[in-house]
Each structure stands twice: as C-alpha cells, then as structure tokens.
Amino acid sequence: MKSTLTENFRGKAPPLIKVSKLPPHRAFDIDAKPGDLIEIFGGVYHHWAVFIGGNEVIHLIPSSKGGDLLEVLAFLGSSDATVRRQRIWEVVGSNRFQVNNLLDDKYQPLDPSTIVSNAVKMVGQERPYNVATHNSEHFVTELRYGKPESRQASKFVGAALFSAFRKNKDKE
C-alpha cells in the first residue's frame, strides 16, 4: 500500500518547516584571507572589494540619490562614491566572484593588517568616483599595494580612444 505525505500526517497537510535562508556565498567557498582582493563578475564591468575577514568586505560604491537612471549616470560619469563595509554575500549577490590579487606579480602587497586597518578607517567616507580614474578597482589596489591602478579602466579608456579615433577617421 502506497503512503502519501498527507496520510503520514493523519490527513492533514504537513507542518511548514522554517528554513533559514543561507547566504548564496560563504567565505569558505573561496580561499580568502584578510587583505585579499575580491573580483565580482557583473556583466561588462567588474566590481572589486577588499576582504577583511569574518565574511566582510570593504568596497567603494557610487552614491545614488535616486532612480536607476541616476545610478547609470553615476556609473558612467564622474560622481561621488561611498566606502562601505558589508557582508560579502550582500555585495556579491548572485554574481560569480574570486580572489584576485592581480598585481602581486608587479608590486609588493602591504601587510594584511595594514590593508584591513586602512580600509576600516575609510568606511563611511565620500570619495570621487569615475569609471576611468577612480573606480572600485583603483580603490582596492591602492589599499593593497599603495598604488591606485585599474586594468579594466585601462582597457575601457583604450577602447574609448580607439572608438573616438575611428569615428574621427570615418568623418574624413
């Protein structure tokens, strides 16, 4: 004789079971150590954060005072940004991410305790933001290496210059 789920509960629906929502990403999913840079894949442009331990990161995020259009304009142009301290899964969301200490082969990283201390001191600060010159990658590389550098911004600026050159050449 087959038993159904409701038969197991004497003809009543089974009780609802509360399941706590686990964060989509946990620090142990990656081998992050305090001071490591976290690269977050979100479409064409990647976001960056510094891992400070305890499932927390510090990152630079453009300030938006309202609406999706303002967020897009802030992202593309010059604006202000805020240094935030958040749980890694709040920043990452459903995006893929990885530890990427991308300039370790070029520069000596600062001591991890210095990186974390400097990052924590900046939480809440407003800073200039520009995709090409002051983005989240510039922010984290300055914290880790003492030098603001962005490989993706270099590619972005290079592509923009090439595009402008091609448009100008086509007009001739």
Side-chain angles (χ1 to χ4, degrees):
M1 178 168 142
K2 283 188 176 177
S3 171
T4 66
L5 189 58
T6 53
E7 286 173 350
N8 290 337
F9 290 95
R10 297 187 186 120
K12 297 179 182 174
L16 293 176
I17 300 169
K18 271 192 168 178
V19 178
S20 61
K21 186 175 179 180
L22 293 174
H25 302 285
R26 292 174 222 112
F28 57 80
D29 290 338
I30 57 172
D31 190 21
K33 296 178 285 306
D36 280 346
L37 304 185
I38 306 296
E39 180 180 17
I40 303 156
F41 301 93
V44 176
Y45 203 75
H46 298 180
H47 186 64
W48 292 80
V50 173
F51 185 76
I52 61 168
N55 289 330
E56 290 187 307
V57 295
I58 292 178
H59 63 122
L60 182 68
I61 186 86
S63 303
S64 62
K65 303 283 190 262
D68 292 339
L69 180 58
L70 289 178
E71 288 180 30
V72 169
L73 293 174
F75 180 74
L76 294 175
S78 295
S79 69
D80 290 326
T82 305
V83 178
R84 286 197 191 155
R85 179 178 183 164
Q86 293 180 277
R87 296 278 183 200
I88 189 168
W89 58 82
E90 293 172 337
V91 177
V92 170
S94 61
N95 295 309
R96 286 186 321 103
F97 66 99
Q98 68 180 5
V99 171
N100 187 354
N101 298 318
L102 71 162
L103 300 175
D104 279 8
D105 59 336
K106 186 174 179 181
Y107 303 118
Q108 176 68 38
L110 299 172
D111 181 72
S113 63
T114 302
I115 298 167
V116 171
S117 173
N118 289 343
V120 169
K121 288 176 190 170
M122 298 177 91
V123 171
Q125 288 184 9
E126 291 287 320
R127 300 178 54 98
Y129 186 89
N130 180 286
V131 170
T133 60
H134 296 92
N135 65 40
S136 62
E137 188 178 1
H138 289 102
F139 175 72
V140 299
T141 56
E142 185 169 18
L143 285 169
R144 184 168 174 86
Y145 307 106
K147 300 180 186 315
E149 196 168 307
S150 173
R151 290 184 176 174
Q152 67 181 338
S154 299
K155 292 176 189 174
F156 176 79
V157 170
L161 289 173
F162 179 76
S163 177
F165 174 77
R166 292 293 303 158
K167 284 181 183 176
N168 194 31
K169 190 83 168 153
D170 292 344
K171 288 180 184 178
E172 293 176 357

